[in-house]
Amino acid sequence: MPPYKLASRESKPENTVVRVGDCLIGGGTPVVIAGPCAVENEEMLVNLACRLKQMGVHILRGGAFKPRTSPYSFQGLGEDGLRILAEAGRVAGLPVITELTDVQHLPQVCRYANIIQIGSRNMQNFELLKEVGRLKFPVLLKRGLSATLEEWLLAAEYILAGGNREVILCERGIRSFETYTRNTFDINAVPAVKYLSHLPLIADPSHGTGRRELVLPVARAALAAGADGLMLEVHPCPEQALSDGPQSLRPGELAEFMQELQGASYQRPRVSA
Ligand code: PEP
Ligand code: MN
């Protein structure tokens, strides 16, 4: 038995499916989570959310508490951002996901969001993991910037061991020597994690590449490798985005990809020993 007992395939051979509203994550049909990096203002987000719903996106994303490298960068709108995100989701008819960065924000985040995102920088914030482990609430756990698969699955184990079984993993690229891309999307991790664990896996090629023109090719690769869905940053005007503009798709680009996805059958590769 691997050290991440509850997360392992050995402990549970069948895939875990996490239900969020009508949407089944890990249920066989690729799930698309999309939205801006950060919630910026209500009008923009409501309009974008309605457009995303029309395209066939399943879940709306938007950060309200932003973990930024520089203290001078936009830090997010905080509770106002949560309220705007929930309102945009309500108007468009989409469940919403947002990042939790501190235990003190947990009650607000649970009130407004349908999925809690634990960001890369907090993958090993063990107190945060234990807190969300006490809930019965979907949690998307991003891989740490330089976490091994075992460290990542052990982080998931903290949540599972607390009694919360609604864990979704998210590969978002790792640090490498390459500087052309923001991160190196670890395509190996996709089939490896599906082999090692029963948990659903979402691919985030936006942070995984950091470059708009690379996002959709890597998205296709991740689905072909067995990812259960995608998390894609999209902004109506990436040039003016307050965070992560260079990796944000334009709505038209995403609309075209959604059409492609609806026509395509990304065969789920079989997990075999
Ligand atoms: C994000 O999703 O906007 C984010 C900050 O992601 P990560 O934790 O992967 O850097
Ligand atoms: Mn971002």
Side-chain angles (χ1 to χ4, degrees):
M1 189 60 91
Y4 44 87
K5 297 187 183 65
L6 298 170
S8 72
R9 276 264 172 218
E10 283 85 344
S11 74
K12 184 173 178 283
E14 69 282 8
N15 289 331
T16 288
V17 179
V18 175
R19 174 185 280 279
V20 181
D22 295 338
C23 174
L24 299 177
I25 304 173
T29 307
V31 165
V32 179
I33 304 170
C37 179
V39 176
E40 297 180 7
N41 70 71
E42 183 158 348
E43 192 188 349
M44 181 269 262
L45 195 61
V46 170
N47 288 336
L48 179 64
C50 292
R51 222 170 143 190
L52 295 176
K53 173 75 180 187
Q54 273 182 347
M55 291 176 202
V57 163
H58 306 94
I59 298 169
L60 176 66
R61 65 152 284 148
F65 297 101
K66 294 301 303 175
R68 303 304 301 280
T69 301
S70 166
Y72 305 119
S73 300
F74 177 58
Q75 301 287 309
L77 298 179
E79 185 156 8
D80 270 351
L82 294 177
R83 191 188 50 72
I84 291 170
L85 179 67
E87 177 62 10
R90 190 192 63 75
V91 172
L94 290 172
V96 302
I97 176 169
T98 199
E99 181 166 350
L100 173 72
T101 54
D102 192 301
V103 171
Q104 77 182 68
H105 303 136
L106 186 59
Q108 314 163 44
V109 168
C110 287
R111 187 162 351 115
Y112 291 108
N114 305 98
I115 308 176
I116 298 171
Q117 175 172 324
I118 302 289
S120 289
R121 290 155 194 81
N122 277 310
M123 189 205 82
Q124 285 187 321
N125 181 337
F126 299 114
E127 295 310 314
L128 199 54
L129 298 177
K130 284 184 221 169
E131 279 301 322
V132 298
R134 293 194 183 99
L135 310 172
K136 296 269 184 290
F137 201 98
V139 175
L140 179 133
L141 177 65
K142 289 191 134 194
R143 182 180 184 181
L145 310 191
S146 56
T148 64
L149 298 185
E150 183 166 302
E151 287 163 342
W152 185 19
L153 291 169
L154 281 168
E157 189 78 7
Y158 265 88
I159 305 173
L160 297 167
N164 188 353
R165 301 302 163 96
E166 299 177 60
V167 178
I168 305 151
L169 298 167
C170 179
E171 163 61 40
R172 47 77 72 203
I174 50 176
R175 280 279 165 87
S176 79
F177 55 80
E178 183 56 73
T179 53
Y180 177 72
T181 46
R182 181 179 179 185
N183 290 293
T184 295
F185 184 86
D186 182 7
I187 194 77
N188 297 359
V190 176
V193 161
K194 294 303 293 179
Y195 174 69
L196 295 171
S197 176
H198 54 84
L199 295 171
L201 176 70
I202 296 288
D204 171 357
S206 303
H207 294 88
T209 64
R211 302 180 76 111
R212 179 178 312 115
E213 68 279 13
L214 304 184
V215 169
L216 294 177
V218 174
R220 293 183 189 100
L223 291 176
D228 296 296
L230 299 168
M231 177 138 98
L232 301 170
E233 287 187 339
V234 56
H235 194 284
C237 184
E239 293 71 22
Q240 283 166 24
L242 297 180
S243 62
D244 288 352
Q247 68 191 36
S248 297
L249 297 171
R250 300 174 203 287
E253 293 171 307
L254 182 58
E256 216 175 286
F257 177 69
M258 291 303 295
Q259 284 201 333
E260 171 190 324
L261 200 56
Q262 280 144 18
S265 67
Y266 283 99
Q267 200 81 42
R268 321 242 51 71
R270 284 162 61 101
V271 177
S272 55

